[in-house]
C-alpha cells in the first residue's frame, strides 16, 4: 500500500458523505422526481462519483436510511456511559421518535418507489436492538425502568410510537404528552398506600 492510496480513500469517503447529505436534502425538497444529476450538483461532485458509490438510485436511497440508523446506534453507544442511566434511556427513546418524524418523507418516498427501506439492513437492525438493550439494562439496574420490561415489548412500543409519529406527523406538544403517558407505564410501579 503506497502513501498516495490513503488520501484518495479519505477523499472518496468525504465525497460519499457529501452525496448522502445532498441526496437527503434534494429528496426532502423534490421527492422521487429528484435526478441523480441534481443530487450531484448539490453535492458538488460529478455523476461518476455518485455511480461509483451507488450504482442505482435505489442503492443511494437505502444508504440514506442505513446512514441515519448508524447515527442512532452511535448515539445509543455514547449514552451507554451516561451517569444517569434512566435519563439516557428516556432521552434516547424520545430522540428515536423525533427522528422518525424527520425521516417520514424519505421512508414514504422509498415505499412509493417500491424500495424496501429495510432491505440489506439485517446487521444494522441487530446492532440497533443491541444498542437499545444496553440502555434498557442500565436503566433497569438503576431502578428507573420497570424490571419486567423485556426487549421485544420495548421494541414494539418504540416501533408503534415511531409509526404513529411518522404517519400522523404529531406536533411537538402531542408527541411530548404521548411520550409522557408511555414513559409513566415504563417506570417501576410504586405500591399504592394502604386503604384504612
Amino acid at each position: 500500500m503506497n502513501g498516495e492510496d490513503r488520501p484518495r480513500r479519505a477523499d472518496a469517503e468525504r465525497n460519499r458523505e457529501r452525496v448522502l447529505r445532498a441526496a437527503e436534502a434534494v429528496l426532502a425538497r423534490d421527492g422521487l422526481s429528484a435526478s441523480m444529476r441534481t443530487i450531484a450538483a448539490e453535492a458538488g461532485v460529478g455523476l461518476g462519483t455518485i455511480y461509483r458509490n451507488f450504482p442505482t438510485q435505489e442503492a443511494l436511497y437505502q444508504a440514506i436510511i442505513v446512514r441515519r440508523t448508524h447515527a442512532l446506534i452511535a448515539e445509543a453507544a455514547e449514552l451507554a456511559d451516561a451517569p444517569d442511566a434512566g435519563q439516557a434511556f428516556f432521552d434516547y427513546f424520545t430522540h428515536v421518535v423525533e427522528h422518525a418524524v424527520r425521516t417520514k418523507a424519505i421512508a414514504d418516498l422509498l415505499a412509493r418507489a417500491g424500495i424496501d427501506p429495510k432491505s440489506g439492513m439485517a446487521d444494522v437492525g441487530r446492532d440497533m436492538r443491541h444498542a437499545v438493550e444496553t440502555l434498557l439494562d442500565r436503566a433497569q439496574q438503576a431502578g428507573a425502568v420497570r424490571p419486567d420490561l423485556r426487549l421485544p415489548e420495548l421494541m414494539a412500543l418504540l416501533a408503534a410510537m415511531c409509526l404513529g409519529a411518522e404517519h400522523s406527523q404529531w406536533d411537538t406538544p402531542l408527541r411530548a404528552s404521548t411520550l409522557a403517558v408511555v414513559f409513566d407505564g415504563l417506570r417501576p410501579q410504586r405500591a399504592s398506600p394502604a386503604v384504612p
Side-chain angles (χ1 to χ4, degrees), residues 9 21 85 100 104 107 173 181 194:
R9 279 202 296 272
R21 282 195 303 271
K104 180 184 188 299
V181 171

Side-chain angles (χ1 to χ4, degrees), residues 14-173:
R14 278 194 296 273
N15 284 339
R16 186 178 191 280
E17 281 301 306
R18 285 166 61 188
V19 168
L20 286 170
R21 282 195 303 271
E24 286 190 51
V26 171
L27 276 171
R29 184 185 70 222
D30 301 343
L32 283 174
S33 64
S35 70
M36 295 290 253
R37 191 172 300 282
T38 303
I39 292 168
E42 182 90 12
V45 300
L47 272 175
T49 298
I50 293 185
Y51 284 113
R52 268 193 302 280
N53 287 286
F54 310 103
T56 65
Q57 260 182 312
E58 290 80 3
L60 174 58
Y61 298 162
Q62 288 170 352
I64 292 170
I65 299 294
V66 170
R67 178 175 180 263
R68 286 186 169 215
T69 306
H70 277 302
L72 288 173
I73 293 167
E75 181 183 346
E78 286 177 22
L79 288 170
D81 294 324
D84 187 335
Q87 188 67 47
F89 173 84
F90 291 113
D91 284 351
Y92 187 71
F93 195 119
T94 300
H95 187 249
V96 171
V97 174
E98 289 170 349
H99 179 268
V101 173
R102 290 194 303 271
T103 59
K104 180 184 188 299
I106 292 173
D108 282 353
L109 288 170
L110 292 171
R112 284 206 300 273
I115 304 163
D116 179 2
K118 294 181 181 175
S119 63
M121 289 185 64
D123 289 344
V124 177
R126 183 200 61 231
D127 292 346
M128 181 73 172
R129 285 188 300 277
H130 176 70
V132 171
E133 186 172 30
T134 299
L135 293 177
L136 172 62
D137 288 346
R138 288 192 71 239
Q140 287 175 323
Q141 289 166 13
V145 172
R146 56 191 300 162
D148 59 340
L149 178 65
R150 296 179 308 125
L151 184 64
E153 289 86 8
L154 174 58
M155 295 305 289
L157 282 169
L158 194 52
M161 290 293 291
C162 286
L163 285 171
E166 280 175 23
H167 291 291
S168 300
Q169 285 295 284
W170 295 346
D171 61 22
T172 302

